[in-house]
Amino acid sequence: MQKPLLVTGSSGLIGSEVCQYFATQGYTIHGVDNNQRAVFFGPQGDTRWNQKRLADSIAGFTHHELDIRDRAAVLTLVRAVKPCAIVHAAAQPSHDRAAAIPFDDFDTNAVGTLNLLEAARQACPESPFVHMSTNKVYGDAPNSITLKEQPMRWDYSDPAYVNGIPETFTIDQSKHSLFGASKVAADVMVQEYGRYFSMPTCALRGGCLTGPNHSGVELHGFLSYLVKCNLEGREYRVFGYKGKQVRDNIHSLDVARFMAAFIAAPRAGEVYNLGGGKTNSCSILEAFEIAAKFSGKKQLYTYVEQNRAGDHICYYSNLSKMRSHYPSWDISISLEETIRQIVEAWKYRTIV
Ligand SMILES: NC(=O)c1ccc[n+]([C@@H]2O[C@H](COP(=O)([O-])OP(=O)(O)OC[C@H]3O[C@@H](n4cnc5c(N)ncnc54)[C@H](O)[C@@H]3O)[C@@H](O)[C@H]2O)c1
């Protein structure tokens, strides 16, 4: 029996990993991407190499050159494919970029998600719908948690957050960036299609999702871009917080594995904080050291006093809800191994 999976943003980091992973699980993959990342970020963000890689490596892969803002085309495609599951990973993904392109950002992130949800409701309401949301839906509210400063990083000193930020954390009355606001709209809409229409939807509020297939740029994809700077001997710009700001990093394969667990046993209108958790968290200064360990090169960087607007000082996800709903899932790739793979991937992409 054919198991068609529709993946939006298929040429991007998460979408491409999802395509590859589900292809090994007996699914027929339909990717949707129009290389909008190159429009958002210029040639450095071009994802055609990844699209070609998928076409070359996945048997029966179909690429659909489609803009998710095109409501009629989205409905026609979902009706034609009738996917048994949808993974929605297409987005304008940068909070800094959003301020310069507010309409493109909202039309892609919020309206594009609504186009897909409504198409799914009309064509395949029983099919699980997995949406990539972001921890930016919490805005800068996590910055109000009391912190302790350590030599290389910030950490929570409030014992309530010793295991990280839970899904019950407020998303209201804080500074989100326009990107965070468009993602809140999508996140709540995904929940609503679950609650109101009983559709099997979930919103995954990603921390730093990363891996060897990321086309990291300064405005998005911190670890990938950091490693690229390291290998090219270029200065990485640190924005504020003494370089001790903490991110939790999850390998895109572990993201795909969680999606598979959800699709196998879906629930309606769920929300999960999907990151590397405390164990896979690091500050920028700590990431410099790990990257240098694998590249053999010392990281060059400059320090800019002004932090990025709305940027988190310390953020790591509390993974307990994911683990309790899906006990077979856990993080399988360590932070060090993830950075090692990114180093190897950039070396390879520079050579070929
Ligand atoms: N990478 C991270 O650290 C991270 C963190 C939290 C959340 N997320 C979320 O995960 C999702 C995937 O992120 P990613 O890192 O893979 O991003 P990415 O930029 O690598 O991939 C997104 C893909 O979507 C495509 N796309 C954009 N607009 C489109 C449109 N209008 N129509 C069709 N395709 C379009 C782009 O060309 C790109 O290939 C996004 O929703 C993002 O907000 C990512």
Side-chain angles (χ1 to χ4, degrees):
M1 245 235 317
Q2 285 257 329
K3 291 199 291 176
L5 178 76
L6 191 72
V7 182
T8 72
S10 47
S11 309
L13 167 78
I14 296 307
S16 62
E17 189 79 51
V18 168
C19 291
Q20 278 185 297
Y21 182 78
F22 281 82
T24 66
Q25 311 292 309
Y27 287 83
T28 310
I29 311 297
H30 290 263
V32 172
D33 206 300
N34 64 348
N35 197 28
Q36 191 70 20
R37 190 173 167 89
V39 178
F40 293 147
F41 302 116
Q44 297 290 313
D46 199 295
T47 57
R48 291 290 180 206
W49 67 275
N50 213 7
Q51 178 188 330
K52 182 175 179 315
R53 197 176 61 86
L54 295 180
D56 292 346
S57 62
I58 299 177
F61 175 76
T62 310
H63 175 79
H64 301 273
E65 186 78 19
L66 185 149
D67 191 321
I68 59 162
R69 291 172 290 185
D70 185 340
R71 186 169 299 159
V74 167
L75 180 58
T76 304
L77 178 69
V78 177
R79 279 204 173 120
V81 174
K82 266 212 178 312
C84 68
I86 296 175
V87 174
H88 174 34
Q92 188 302 104
S94 160
H95 65 160
D96 291 322
R97 187 79 188 103
I101 50 168
F103 293 115
D104 284 340
D105 177 81
F106 198 84
D107 288 345
T108 304
N109 291 352
V111 183
T113 302
L114 178 59
N115 291 344
L116 281 152
L117 283 167
E118 185 51 28
R121 188 175 77 86
Q122 291 188 31
C124 53
E126 269 99 55
S127 302
F129 187 107
V130 177
H131 167 65
M132 276 313 311
S133 185
T134 168
N135 63 16
K136 296 293 184 305
V137 299
Y138 298 117
D140 62 0
N143 290 352
S144 62
I145 300 171
T146 11
L147 298 174
K148 54 186 171 205
E149 185 173 1
Q150 296 181 341
M152 294 283 279
R153 61 149 66 192
W154 297 100
D155 207 343
Y156 303 125
S157 66
D158 184 338
Y161 300 103
V162 68
N163 292 318
I165 307 283
E167 290 79 359
T168 48
F169 203 81
T170 181
I171 64 165
D172 197 15
Q173 299 181 60
S174 62
K175 190 191 219 175
H176 291 81
S177 80
L178 297 191
F179 160 75
S182 67
K183 294 294 275 189
V184 166
D187 184 300
V188 172
M189 201 56 100
V190 167
Q191 292 183 57
E192 208 52 43
Y193 269 70
R195 295 213 165 81
Y196 197 89
F197 297 119
S198 305
M199 282 169 57
T201 65
C202 74
L204 306 180
R205 295 177 174 166
C208 280
L209 320 175
T210 190
N213 298 326
H214 215 178
S215 304
V217 290
E218 185 174 28
L219 293 183
H220 181 245
F222 122 84
L223 267 185
S224 170
Y225 179 70
L226 182 152
V227 167
K228 189 167 190 257
C229 288
N230 177 293
L231 290 171
E232 292 174 355
R234 271 196 287 137
E235 278 184 349
Y236 180 91
R237 281 197 293 171
V238 178
F239 293 92
Y241 304 147
K242 305 183 187 174
K244 296 182 182 184
Q245 52 270 59
V246 169
R247 308 278 174 263
D248 67 335
N249 307 283
I250 180 168
H251 193 291
S252 45
L253 177 62
D254 282 337
V255 174
R257 287 177 52 251
F258 182 78
M259 291 173 173
F262 179 85
I263 288 170
R267 305 163 72 107
E270 273 297 357
V271 167
Y272 299 99
N273 286 350
L274 174 70
K278 189 171 190 164
T279 338
N280 271 13
S281 71
C282 68
S283 68
I284 294 187
L285 297 181
E286 289 166 342
F288 285 163
E289 294 207 338
I290 306 174
K293 176 173 152 188
F294 291 113
S295 70
K297 294 181 176 182
K298 195 170 158 41
Q299 185 89 38
L300 304 174
Y301 70 96
T302 47
Y303 184 71
V304 182
E305 197 61 46
Q306 183 61 47
N307 61 274
R308 289 182 156 136
D311 204 15
H312 292 151
I313 306 172
C314 178
Y315 186 96
Y316 47 86
S317 319
N318 185 327
L319 304 179
S320 3
K321 185 176 174 189
M322 294 170 70
R323 288 176 175 138
S324 86
H325 285 191
Y326 298 97
S328 64
W329 178 88
D330 208 342
I331 297 286
S332 72
I333 306 179
S334 70
L335 175 64
E336 290 228 346
E337 172 56 16
T338 302
I339 295 181
R340 188 196 68 75
Q341 288 184 17
I342 298 173
V343 170
E344 291 311 311
W346 274 124
K347 278 189 190 160
Y348 178 77
R349 275 155 70 181
T350 317
I351 297 163
V352 291

